[in-house]
Amino acid sequence: MRIAQLAPLAESVPPKLYGGTERVVAWLVDELVELGHDVTLFASGDSRTKGKLHPVWPRALRLGRKGVDPNAACAVLLEAVARRAKDFDVIHAHIDWLPLPLLSRLGVPFLTTMHGRLDLPGLADVVREFPGAGFVSISEHQRVPLPEANWIATIQHGLPSHLFQSFDEGSYLAFLGRLTAEKGPEDAIRIARSVGKPLRIAAKIPRAETGYFKKKLEPHIDGRTVQLVGEVDDAKKQPFLANAAALLFPIDWPEPFGLVMIEAMACGTPVIAYRSGSVPEVVEDGVTGFIVENEDQAVRAVGELGRLDRRAVRARFEARFSASRMAREYERAYRDLIADAGMKKPDLRPGAQPSIP
């Protein structure tokens, strides 16, 4: 198949540091190429891919020239897709709602993977405007706020099996993610202190959250019991997760998937997570970690980590969350879309008889 992949422009594909969606797109494109497909990636010019890169903006917006209007970059992206649409059998968008008016008019089968939260005002109105647009969710829970959307599949994320691997017993607790209240860094600090284990935090500080960081988190970061190591790339992420006794994931929001959970599992590192969003679909309680309701239960779960086999954690990752599995599921979704479009398309050849429903 000739497949177009539309990536966000905020980060390169894959991202230099933080960026879950862009990382998943990178893995998906590479796996689809390995399966023999002709894949074109529409992304920033500093992206790297096994597919064919169509650079629509010189550099990723977050690390590029300051002051760039992201809407200008998106306009260039959409124009590039419009000009080349007929080159593809299917178009796969990862940029939320933005391209729907265009893709609905190009006459090429398309689908959109929703990577973010869907419990925001106004989204139901958008869905009603595009009843024929096919959407892919990354967890079943993600669909809950928009049951009326045209969901064609749930395809959980996957990552390359060779990327992370280790079975060493860890000595500290790890927190990896954005430093926002909904991700639970304050809870992670309190949990670590309650059990007397050091906590290492690998995270970016969003500009909008600088005040939160300085007021709620910075006073507790002493560089010894609580250490901030900053953003980490894939090379640094592997030892960071592999050497942890557990990943703490005390979220307070409807997490659509939680890529860091499967990154930890790939290292054989168990996950202690609050029961929210996609967590029950990703973590197998008592096998790959523990699902808890609050801080007290999380503290008790740390004491139970010795019951878990880190090799079994890795085995469950391989069975459920490989990038090759993800790519094969998308491959089936593409074929179904193309076949469905072929059935609906009228035969306009001279003398052709109209089809009978």
Side-chain angles (χ1 to χ4, degrees):
M1 288 179 282
R2 299 170 302 161
I3 306 166
Q5 298 281 341
L6 315 187
L9 298 176
E11 308 287 347
S12 61
V13 178
K16 302 296 186 293
L17 294 169
Y18 183 85
T21 297
E22 295 84 1
R23 193 163 268 111
V24 170
V25 173
W27 297 330
L28 175 60
V29 171
D30 288 354
E31 289 291 339
L32 289 170
V33 171
E34 291 295 321
L35 289 171
H37 300 292
D38 181 358
V39 187
T40 299
L41 173 65
F42 291 79
S44 63
D46 51 349
S47 298
R48 305 184 314 278
T49 179
K50 291 182 180 178
K52 300 172 182 176
L53 178 63
H54 185 123
V56 298
W57 203 256
R59 290 196 66 198
L61 297 178
R62 187 168 76 93
L63 301 179
R65 187 157 52 96
K66 291 184 179 180
V68 171
D69 184 350
N71 291 324
C74 290
V76 174
L77 168 62
L78 295 181
E79 177 61 17
V81 174
R83 289 180 178 180
R84 296 198 54 194
K86 298 303 180 183
D87 294 341
F88 306 109
D89 299 310
V90 64
I91 298 173
H92 186 173
H94 302 269
I95 51 178
D96 296 329
W97 317 99
L98 181 67
L100 290 179
L102 173 66
L103 297 180
S104 297
R105 289 165 170 80
L106 292 178
V108 178
F110 73 94
L111 71 160
T112 300
T113 295
M114 303 310 300
H115 290 269
R117 66 188 302 171
L118 302 179
D119 60 335
L120 304 176
L123 298 190
D125 299 308
V126 178
V127 165
R128 283 192 290 271
E129 288 294 323
F130 301 96
F135 297 101
V136 172
S137 54
I138 54 178
S139 67
E140 291 295 325
H141 188 275
Q142 186 192 29
R143 297 184 177 195
V144 171
L146 293 177
E148 67 272 34
N150 179 25
W151 297 111
I152 61 175
T154 291
I155 301 178
Q156 295 180 325
H157 291 333
L159 60 88
S161 297
H162 66 272
L163 196 58
F164 303 120
Q165 189 164 358
S166 175
F167 306 113
D168 296 333
E169 198 67 38
S171 58
Y172 56 85
L173 298 174
F175 179 93
L176 176 60
R178 288 181 290 113
L179 289 182
T180 60
E182 64 188 14
K183 291 286 189 176
E186 295 173 76
D187 292 52
I189 291 172
R190 289 192 294 266
I191 293 165
R193 283 187 169 163
S194 294
V195 299
K197 279 186 174 291
L199 175 69
R200 294 187 185 176
I201 301 172
K204 66 182 289 188
I205 305 172
R207 291 177 185 174
E209 301 294 337
T210 302
Y212 166 74
F213 172 76
K214 289 188 173 296
K215 182 178 180 180
K216 298 291 187 179
L217 302 178
E218 193 172 43
H220 303 289
I221 298 173
D222 58 11
R224 185 174 53 84
T225 58
V226 180
Q227 181 181 357
L228 177 65
V229 301
E231 288 189 74
V232 292
D233 58 17
D234 283 340
K236 294 178 181 178
K237 187 183 296 182
Q238 196 273 344
F240 174 79
L241 290 172
N243 293 324
L247 171 75
L248 296 183
F249 199 66
I251 58 170
D252 184 26
W253 77 300
E255 176 69 64
F257 182 78
L259 187 62
V260 64
M261 291 191 286
I262 67 170
E263 290 174 330
M265 292 177 199
C267 296
T269 300
V271 179
I272 298 175
Y274 286 1
R275 187 185 301 277
S276 187
S278 65
V279 165
E281 299 175 52
V282 178
V283 177
E284 296 173 78
D285 189 55
V287 179
T288 58
F290 297 106
I291 300 173
V292 299
E293 307 291 343
N294 50 46
E295 285 183 39
D296 289 340
Q297 290 187 11
V299 168
R300 290 196 292 271
V302 173
E304 296 293 318
L305 288 172
R307 293 173 36 208
L308 303 182
D309 182 347
R310 292 173 76 98
R311 292 186 179 275
V313 174
R314 168 70 190 191
R316 293 305 297 155
F317 157 78
E318 291 177 353
R320 300 185 59 205
F321 298 116
S322 70
S324 58
R325 185 274 308 159
M326 174 178 67
R328 289 193 300 271
E329 291 186 13
Y330 275 114
E331 184 183 49
R332 286 194 292 271
Y334 302 153
R335 293 194 189 281
D336 289 345
L337 273 176
I338 293 169
D340 187 53
M343 291 176 61
K344 292 178 179 178
K345 190 176 296 183
D347 188 346
L348 301 180
R349 293 173 300 171
Q353 296 297 315
S355 60
I356 301 175

